Amino acid sequence: SSLPMSCPPSKVAVILSRFPYPLEKGDKLRAYQHLKNLAASGHEVHVIALSDVPVTAEHQAMVSPFCASITVLPLSFTTRVFNLLRSFVRGLPLQVGYFLSPHAQRRVRELLRTLQPDLVYCQLIRTATYFAESGSHAPSVIDYQDAFSRGTEQRVSTAPWYLLPLYKRELRTVRAYESRSAAWFNEHIIISEQDRVVMFRSGGHNVTVLPNGIDTEYFAPQDVPKTVDVAFVGNMNYPPNVDAAIYLVNTIMPIVWQTMPHARVVIAGASPHRSVRALASERVEITGWVDDIRSCYAASRVFVAPMRIGTGLQNKLLEAMAMGVACITTPISHEPVGARADDEIRVGDSPDSLAVHIMDLLAHEAERERLAEAGRNYVTSTYAMEHTRTVLNDVFARALMRGRGQ
């Protein structure tokens, strides 16, 4: 809605709920991209990252080129248990309370007081209270990434009866927290228009839709043999991905196998849940962590993301499209991507329709290649990293102006 504006190089404190490497989770990938873009725009970036897992020197070395300083605030197991109990007392969502440590809050206050940043940038509602209770009056931006309330609502509909009261409490507190915390920041970023509508029905806030950018030079077509018929990748401990993998192997592929009994499936990604590991068979390979996920995309004839739950924009779809792989997905993932159905991506809303798309593309190489090329052209023109960098700078410039009352 606002005209583009340039943001002068500024000292930016970035508060994260996870250290942004390795890139096996969507929020870490998004944070890594934004740090890289901020550094490329000339900003002096100071990262303050909570972490519930050890952060190695090698992981820090992958992020340090973009940062003037990195501070990791470990959350021990005992701390996390205490945080969860405390979140009931404070009426906070568990996914906010889990990350909210009094000791870490003191450290954030000290760091912001010492740094005196021109701007504070928080990622996810998990870090919002850290800024709100820090005493800092710096201009501020929050990147919600997804509407957590939307994802939590989906979990309520599938929760077992004995966990239903807990999930209902979580939904109630997440909605209240999202609404309350919006007032703490000058500018707001969210990953898709669908998530924006869920979170900001009533308007009244400065919200910018900013999809993830894709490095289309890194994720580019490779001339390698196609050894896999159907691929799906992602963090395989994340419930929406677990559900999609089970749906693909147990419901969609049996229809395909009736006609194409030798079709081979690969499911790749970090930390496969035991129910995903149980899908392994002669026709289904579960790889676990892959050092270079591009090798999975490149070897695949068709990429399928049969998402039934989840929020936000699916990086895996954009990466596969960028690599020139014909892609199939469901309406919940297609809508945020925005590619034209049938022209640039195939969309199916049932096991039968998804299976028909898979069989059609496997059987017709020319159509598969046409769809793949159209998909790559769409991602290259719509999700280029330069666009992400420009929009991020515009948001920062507006936050600085509003924070200074200009």
Side-chain angles (χ1 to χ4, degrees):
S1 59
S2 300
L3 291 172
M5 56 183 72
S6 60
C7 181
S10 306
K11 184 191 287 189
V12 181
V14 178
I15 307 177
L16 306 172
S17 59
R18 289 193 180 105
F19 190 76
Y21 205 87
L23 306 178
E24 85 284 16
K25 295 180 187 291
D27 59 317
K28 296 167 79 168
L29 173 63
R30 188 167 169 88
Y32 182 85
Q33 280 191 0
H34 287 188
L35 293 176
K36 196 173 180 179
N37 279 328
L38 292 174
S41 299
H43 298 294
E44 179 187 317
V45 181
H46 297 266
V47 168
I48 304 167
L50 306 162
S51 186
D52 58 1
V53 296
V55 176
T56 67
E58 289 79 9
H59 293 164
Q60 291 208 35
M62 297 302 293
V63 177
S64 60
F66 318 129
C67 306
S69 72
I70 294 174
T71 304
V72 178
L73 304 177
L75 299 173
S76 68
F77 176 76
T78 307
T79 298
R80 284 175 276 147
V81 171
F82 174 71
N83 292 350
L84 285 172
L85 294 173
R86 197 163 154 266
S87 62
F88 282 100
V89 177
R90 292 194 60 176
L92 292 172
L94 295 178
Q95 54 196 304
V96 171
Y98 176 91
F99 293 93
L100 190 60
S101 151
H103 171 71
Q105 281 191 280
R106 286 192 295 274
R107 288 286 289 122
V108 170
R109 274 196 296 271
E110 291 166 8
L111 287 162
L112 294 182
R113 197 160 50 238
T114 302
L115 286 171
Q116 290 295 308
D118 300 312
L119 185 141
V120 177
Y121 172 62
C122 291
Q123 191 197 42
L124 305 181
I125 59 171
R126 297 164 179 166
T127 63
T129 298
Y130 278 96
F131 172 70
E133 297 182 357
S134 69
S136 172
H137 299 290
S140 57
V141 174
I142 184 167
D143 177 16
Y144 296 102
Q145 184 170 295
D146 308 335
F148 275 29
S149 53
R150 188 177 174 210
T152 308
E153 191 170 18
Q154 292 169 352
R155 303 279 180 86
V156 167
S157 65
T158 58
W161 66 268
Y162 53 88
L163 289 178
L164 200 55
L166 192 63
Y167 275 99
K168 285 184 174 178
R169 177 204 178 268
E170 187 72 357
L171 178 58
R172 188 172 63 252
T173 53
V174 166
R175 280 177 174 159
Y177 189 86
E178 284 178 342
S179 176
R180 188 170 78 251
S181 63
W184 304 341
F185 297 90
N186 300 111
E187 289 284 332
H188 312 77
I189 299 171
I190 202 155
I191 200 167
S192 76
E193 178 62 22
Q194 291 70 32
D195 290 272
R196 186 196 68 77
V197 168
V198 167
M199 277 191 64
F200 296 97
R201 288 187 181 91
S202 58
H205 294 287
N206 310 303
V207 186
T208 300
V209 174
L210 179 58
N212 286 346
I214 295 294
D215 185 340
T216 53
E217 291 181 11
Y218 182 80
F219 289 103
Q222 296 178 4
D223 187 13
V224 300
K226 298 290 187 181
T227 56
V228 176
D229 294 301
V230 176
F232 176 55
V233 311
N235 173 9
M236 286 303 155
N237 200 35
Y238 178 53
N241 289 342
V242 172
D243 176 80
I246 294 169
Y247 182 46
L248 174 62
V249 174
N250 288 349
T251 308
I252 300 165
M253 287 309 297
I255 303 170
V256 175
W257 284 324
Q258 287 176 9
T259 305
M260 298 178 163
H262 301 295
R264 185 162 172 263
V265 178
V266 166
I267 295 175
S271 312
H273 188 271
R274 64 180 179 275
S275 58
V276 174
R277 294 197 302 271
L279 300 172
S281 70
E282 287 183 3
R283 296 186 286 200
V284 179
E285 180 185 358
I286 311 297
T287 69
W289 171 262
V290 176
D291 287 334
D292 187 348
I293 200 65
R294 292 177 301 175
S295 63
C296 293
Y297 294 129
S300 306
R301 292 182 177 86
V302 175
F303 182 83
V304 185
M307 312 305 293
R308 296 190 293 182
I309 56 174
T311 58
L313 185 65
Q314 298 297 327
N315 295 310
K316 47 186 163 274
L317 267 176
L318 299 180
E319 291 169 357
M321 291 169 78
M323 290 198 66
V325 182
C327 289
I328 303 167
T329 193
T330 49
I332 194 174
S333 294
H334 169 240
E335 196 177 1
V337 168
R340 294 194 303 271
D342 296 329
D343 289 337
E344 295 155 337
I345 194 170
R346 293 283 189 97
V347 183
D349 59 2
S350 68
D352 285 323
S353 61
L354 290 163
V356 166
H357 285 315
I358 292 170
M359 290 186 287
D360 184 49
L361 290 174
L362 290 179
H364 299 98
E365 185 177 359
E367 167 59 14
R368 190 168 72 237
E369 290 180 353
R370 184 208 64 76
L371 187 73
E373 185 179 0
R376 173 165 169 79
N377 290 339
Y378 173 73
V379 170
T380 302
S381 62
T382 311
Y383 292 96
M385 201 65 79
E386 293 74 18
H387 173 70
T388 305
R389 189 176 304 140
T390 301
V391 175
L392 200 57
N393 263 327
D394 293 347
V395 170
F396 276 36
R398 290 197 297 271
L400 285 167
M401 287 179 63
R402 289 195 170 98
R404 292 166 181 165
Q406 295 176 1

